Amino acid sequence: MAQNLHSSEVYDFRQYDQVWKRVAPDLEPYPGMGEPAAAPGPTAPVPTELASAGVLARQESQLPGAARNPCCMGSAAAEMLEVLTGFIEEELADRRYFLALSRQAPAWARQRLRDIAADEGAHARRLMAAHYLITGTCYRPAIARGGAAVGRWCPALRERYHMEACSGLNYARAADGTTDPCLAKLLNELSADEYRHAEELMSMLERAIQS
């Protein structure tokens, strides 16, 4: 009886196998239940050309562009993270100040001050993007409380002129202090913007003194 049952089971198995081959001839009906794989034979010698290609591939994987630490916004830029976060907070504070100053300025200066405020906000966003490229995390700026204190018009312009000129100098110094080429380029661009703001504020002061 056991022998007959065993024969029936074998017969049924083969019958299902034939049905499967008719329905889906390209698929293995019982994965892992086929003939055991043959033992691997001796390894064939690798041609010299292929071996040289493998060495070249390993060398290429070690190039700066393929490394986990990239040549731009990598470990060299990470040394400047504390400086970058300080610049971000300064830019956001400058943006708030120029918006407050624009509300108290003469009509002819208001739009230009709002434009400068927009520039400062754009600077902060570029620096936060650089922070993310370096760290893979988003920087969360401090939450400002209270409004920016703005004094009289001419003294305010004088103060902001010096602030913008010093910001331009600080960005230039930071650019000289990093070996990361992309970060240095960004900092030099921001330096040029801050010096341009200082020149515009000086022009406003010239007009305010003449009036």
Side-chain angles (χ1 to χ4, degrees):
M1 175 65 71
Q3 183 177 1
N4 293 337
L5 180 59
H6 179 71
S7 300
S8 175
E9 289 175 351
V10 173
Y11 174 79
D12 291 341
F13 181 92
R14 294 174 178 175
Q15 184 181 34
Y16 297 148
D17 189 25
Q18 294 299 322
V19 172
W20 183 280
K21 288 182 179 179
R22 289 197 301 271
V23 175
D26 296 331
L27 299 180
E28 172 61 41
Y30 307 104
M33 296 181 63
E35 294 295 329
T43 303
V46 179
T48 305
E49 296 81 3
L50 294 180
S52 300
V55 172
L56 180 60
R58 288 194 297 272
Q59 291 175 345
E60 290 177 347
S61 68
Q62 296 173 0
L63 292 175
R68 296 184 64 183
N69 179 26
C71 61
C72 272
M73 302 300 181
S75 58
E79 298 175 0
M80 302 285 289
L81 277 178
E82 187 174 353
V83 174
L84 293 183
T85 56
F87 281 146
I88 292 171
E89 296 296 342
E90 288 179 6
E91 292 288 1
L92 293 175
D94 289 347
R95 175 183 176 275
R96 291 189 295 271
Y97 184 92
F98 280 114
L99 287 176
L101 185 60
S102 69
R103 291 189 286 269
Q104 299 180 212
W108 55 267
R110 290 172 188 167
Q111 183 57 53
R112 186 60 207 126
L113 290 171
R114 286 194 289 267
D115 292 341
I116 294 177
D119 287 346
E120 306 291 25
H123 292 174
R125 289 191 296 273
R126 293 189 70 188
L127 291 166
M128 285 190 282
H131 184 282
Y132 186 85
L133 288 172
I134 297 167
T135 66
T137 59
C138 294
Y139 177 73
R140 303 298 181 188
I143 299 176
R145 302 191 180 280
V150 178
R152 293 180 296 122
W153 176 235
C154 284
L157 289 177
R158 177 175 180 267
E159 176 189 0
R160 297 319 296 183
Y161 168 85
H162 288 299
M163 293 289 291
E164 292 299 295
C166 287
S167 293
L169 178 60
N170 289 335
Y171 276 125
R173 286 175 173 172
D176 290 339
T178 181
T179 58
D180 186 293
C182 298
L183 181 59
K185 180 177 181 292
L186 169 61
L187 294 173
N188 280 321
E189 290 173 356
L190 298 181
S191 174
D193 279 355
E194 298 296 349
Y195 279 126
R196 177 171 52 81
H197 291 166
E199 292 175 358
E200 293 178 6
L201 291 167
M202 184 173 180
S203 297
M204 292 181 191
L205 183 58
E206 291 172 359
R207 181 169 176 175
I209 291 174
Q210 292 173 359
S211 59

